Amino acid sequence: MKKKLIAGNWKMNGSSASNEALLQALLAGSANWQCQVAVCVPAPYLAQVQRLVAGSGIELGAQDVSQHGAGAFTGEVSADMLKDFGTRYCLVGHSERRQYHGETDAVVVAKAQRALAAGITPVVCVGETLAEREAGRTEEVVKRQLAAAIHTIGHCISEIVVAYEPVWAIGTGKTASPEEAQQVHAVLRAQLRAATEHADRVHILYGGSMNAANAAQLLAQADIDGGLVGGASLKAIDFLSIIAAAH
Ligand code: 13P
């Protein structure tokens, strides 16, 4: 059975000093981890975090990548640049990127392809808004978002990580119940199975107010293969508790 994956998404938080303190505390608690662990950090800190986690059980992730390869795209960071710093994972299509930066399914998938081409595992984020859930459109929305990736990536779809993050549960303290989350994860798994014989290898992470108190129940669900953790990944004690719940 594959190991679970717990990934922290630091979002736009951190400083050289606080990153170092957080990582030292995580590394001090890393002796008996049963799962894979990653931290997705702001781009300016890739070099710092690469140095601090070298040779440890923590892998490096980025939060976004350009859909372009190189050139006149001021402010953008390319997949090759991320790779240059040892980046193993890259979030694409986080709901905050879709919402505040107008990223469409096509842009998200182009980013995923850039990551794959550079040897980075894209973590393709999907999830419905509250209005979409209330309108009974959850399945339709997440299936459309994943279908875009399957359509473009083809049989290499088993090389990605999927993160289901209901938008209404992000940073709100509202979590999808384990059953609600599992229901959507099962839909995503079935969709992957229709696209690849390796669907069971794909990690499908849950994200949205995952914390020390609710992680174990969420992670016990059949198709929840890990977590994408925002706020609780910024506190070593909370993130360590979530990691401990993943076995
Ligand atoms: P919170 O855990 O803070 O709700 O954030 C979830 C998230 O967006 C992770 O990518």
Side-chain angles (χ1 to χ4, degrees):
M1 218 178 76
K2 64 183 179 285
K3 287 188 176 177
K4 289 195 162 43
L5 168 62
I6 301 296
N9 174 9
W10 292 359
K11 307 194 179 184
M12 199 170 72
N13 295 292
S15 65
S16 299
S18 69
N19 299 343
E20 178 147 8
L22 175 57
L23 288 168
Q24 299 292 7
L26 293 177
L27 292 171
S30 69
N32 294 309
W33 288 354
Q34 310 283 316
C35 63
Q36 295 175 250
V37 176
V39 287
C40 299
V41 310
Y45 297 123
L46 287 168
Q48 182 204 17
V49 176
Q50 179 188 30
R51 178 173 52 78
L52 288 168
V53 303
S56 80
I58 302 179
E59 291 184 294
L60 181 59
Q63 298 176 8
D64 186 29
V65 64
S66 177
Q67 64 181 300
H68 306 290
F73 300 102
T74 301
E76 294 276 280
V77 176
S78 76
D80 287 343
M81 293 172 188
L82 297 180
K83 189 65 186 174
D84 212 6
F85 289 91
T87 301
R88 166 84 171 79
Y89 296 101
C90 181
L91 307 182
V92 297
H94 191 281
S95 66
E96 288 150 18
R97 301 289 320 171
R98 293 181 190 260
Q99 199 177 340
Y100 306 139
H101 301 272
E103 290 190 9
T104 60
D105 288 339
V107 168
V108 171
V109 171
K111 291 182 172 201
Q113 276 193 303
R114 288 287 178 192
L116 281 171
I120 295 169
T121 301
V123 178
V124 178
C125 303
V126 302
E128 81 287 3
T129 62
L130 184 59
E132 288 163 342
R133 173 161 283 259
E134 286 176 344
R137 294 183 51 219
T138 298
E139 286 192 18
E140 169 205 326
V141 169
V142 298
K143 282 169 95 168
R144 186 204 76 222
Q145 292 168 332
L146 182 58
I150 290 170
H151 180 73
T152 311
I153 294 169
H155 68 277
C156 287
I157 197 71
S158 60
E159 306 297 317
I160 74 168
V161 169
V162 177
Y164 169 55
E165 299 204 309
V167 179
W168 49 271
I170 295 178
T172 57
K174 282 188 208 153
T175 324
S177 71
E179 296 73 24
E180 279 173 330
Q182 166 57 27
Q183 210 176 356
V184 178
H185 281 235
V187 167
L188 296 170
R189 182 84 63 201
Q191 197 178 359
L192 288 169
R193 284 206 180 110
T196 169
E197 60 189 280
H198 303 302
D200 291 352
R201 272 195 218 156
V202 178
H203 283 93
I204 308 180
L205 312 182
Y206 170 79
S209 298
M210 184 181 267
N211 59 39
N214 62 27
Q217 268 195 307
L218 286 160
L219 293 168
Q221 302 300 311
D223 292 298
I224 300 187
D225 306 310
L228 182 54
V229 186
S233 73
L234 298 171
K235 292 192 204 108
I237 191 164
D238 291 352
F239 198 51
L240 285 168
S241 301
I242 295 171
I243 291 168
H247 45 72

